[in-house]
Amino acid sequence: MPRLTGLETVQLVHQINELLPCILVTANATEDLMRQAFSVRAYSVIPKPVSKNVLLYTVVRALMKAYGNLLQKERDEP
């Protein structure tokens, strides 16, 4: 990213919407980056090259974790 790192972007996104899950995609998935990512509450870090199946699975799980309770409440309301 030209102006912000992925980690800085996650922090900014969480200032705007705390519930929004953030998934980092990186070519440099080191242990240090993983620690930093989870310290800023990134949902997941996916190393490049990205498998379509892994990406889809991760996005679905992240959305279900973040919004699954909201979806369940909507279903339960008469």
Side-chain angles (χ1 to χ4, degrees), residues 18-37:
E18 206 172 289
L19 294 177
L20 190 64
C22 295
I23 300 167
L24 295 177
V25 177
T26 182
N28 188 25
T30 63
E31 283 186 39
D32 185 48
L33 176 68
M34 300 286 269
R35 270 192 235 90
Q36 291 175 354

Side-chain angles (χ1 to χ4, degrees), residues 43-68:
Y43 178 80
S44 183
V45 178
I46 300 176
K48 290 180 182 177
V50 179
S51 159
K52 183 174 122 178
N53 291 335
V54 169
L55 182 61
L56 182 59
Y57 177 77
T58 305
V59 168
V60 168
R61 285 194 57 209
L63 291 174
M64 288 303 295
K65 182 178 180 185
Y67 300 107

